[in-house]
Amino acid sequence: MPPWSNIRAGIQTPDLKRDYNSGLFTRVAREYDGATRAMSLGRDQTWKRRLVATLPDLPAPRCVDLACGTGDVTAALAKRFEHGEIVGIDLTAAMVEVARERCPHSRVTFQVRDMCRTGIEDGWADVVTGSYALRNAPVLDDALVEIRRLLKPGGCAAFLDFAKPPARWRQSLQIPLLKFWGSFWGWVLHGGPEHAYIAESLRQFPDRVALRERFARHGFRLQHSRKCFGGMLEILILIRE
């Protein structure tokens, strides 16, 4: 398993980050759900349900769940929108395999794709979701361009992810804490510091203020936000203008 120094070095460039994430999530696919529940102290499912519950009421939306992982949010979308069409996208075939097993619904399809190049037609989606997705994008701007391309004008994008505070002193507390917490559960569950990557990916991610500016530059309007876990994470609801 990669030591912390290699984790940090391994996600410095887009190609290395894509390869690192693909290898990591292939290794942890079967244990991923248990890891997220442990690291969130059992709150992960509540946040994801809250994310889906915050979406607008639509009779039969087309939804794309990016970085769908094992399909938690994808399945919640299918339950929320009984007449909707749902597509789950993930970079890792092992994660998609687990998602298909847990969500064998006729209105849900899963594809192994890069979130920055989904191959779905322009303006197909009414809703795009992502839990822990944007932070893992090889290039954030490329992901936002793709999300805008996927959405119809007025469509909704909804994300749950770790949030980085603008204040440097808060970052200096948050990043080491996440490094310790992710490493601890990585050793417990996988025999290595697998989830230390969360801290490093957040280190390279824009802070709350910069992220909102990035959304605006790409043609998204922030409609709603809600902090979770004392502000460690955040739910963001955006509208494509």
Side-chain angles (χ1 to χ4, degrees):
M1 300 301 179
W4 170 251
S5 59
N6 288 347
I7 290 172
R8 184 167 185 175
I11 57 177
Q12 292 290 331
T13 69
D15 287 342
L16 288 175
K17 185 174 182 180
R18 185 182 292 106
D19 291 345
Y20 180 84
N21 284 339
S22 178
L24 169 66
F25 291 113
T26 295
R27 291 193 298 273
V28 305
R30 293 289 167 180
E31 295 83 25
Y32 180 77
D33 288 339
T36 56
R37 285 158 179 72
M39 288 187 290
S40 68
L41 301 179
R43 298 293 294 165
D44 174 71
Q45 293 299 297
T46 299
W47 301 330
K48 290 175 179 176
R49 287 193 297 268
R50 188 175 294 161
L51 175 76
V52 174
T54 310
L55 295 172
D57 290 323
L58 298 170
R62 290 173 166 176
C63 306
V64 179
D65 184 27
L66 298 176
C68 68
T70 58
D72 283 348
V73 171
T74 322
L77 289 168
K79 183 177 180 180
R80 166 80 191 275
F81 300 116
E82 295 182 357
H83 302 288
E85 184 178 353
I86 322 295
V87 179
I89 301 285
D90 200 272
L91 181 66
T92 309
M95 296 288 266
V96 168
E97 182 180 352
V98 177
R100 286 180 176 140
E101 292 171 4
R102 73 184 304 175
C103 190
H105 200 292
S106 60
R107 292 183 293 103
V108 178
T109 58
F110 292 97
Q111 300 175 12
V112 179
R113 300 275 183 130
D114 187 325
M115 75 173 79
C116 299
R117 296 188 296 272
T118 64
I120 298 173
E121 65 187 79
D122 293 3
W124 183 85
D126 300 287
V127 173
V128 172
T129 57
S131 55
Y132 317 120
L134 293 182
R135 181 177 41 80
N136 285 322
V139 180
L140 177 59
D141 288 312
D142 290 352
L144 293 175
V145 167
E146 179 69 356
I147 292 163
R148 192 174 194 280
R149 185 190 69 79
L150 288 173
L151 280 170
K152 299 173 182 177
C156 179
F159 304 105
L160 164 69
D161 214 326
F162 289 88
K164 186 165 75 173
R168 291 293 182 90
W169 71 269
R170 290 185 181 275
Q171 294 176 26
S172 69
L173 298 175
Q174 181 189 39
I175 299 298
L177 176 62
L178 280 174
K179 174 187 171 182
F180 166 78
W181 194 240
S183 297
F184 172 78
W185 284 108
W187 282 107
V188 169
L189 297 170
H190 315 295
E194 298 289 50
H195 299 288
Y197 86 94
I198 296 171
E200 186 55 35
S201 62
L202 188 62
R203 187 196 304 274
Q204 299 180 27
F205 197 60
D207 65 44
R208 279 195 178 94
V209 173
L211 185 60
R212 283 157 168 73
E213 292 172 352
R214 193 81 64 96
F215 288 148
R217 287 204 303 270
H218 284 278
F220 294 98
R221 171 173 52 86
L222 180 64
Q223 184 182 61
H224 173 76
S225 66
R226 179 168 180 170
K227 294 179 181 178
C228 305
F229 219 41
M232 190 75 76
L233 297 94
E234 190 170 24
I235 292 171
L236 297 166
I237 308 296
L238 311 168
I239 301 299
R240 180 212 193 273
E241 297 182 324

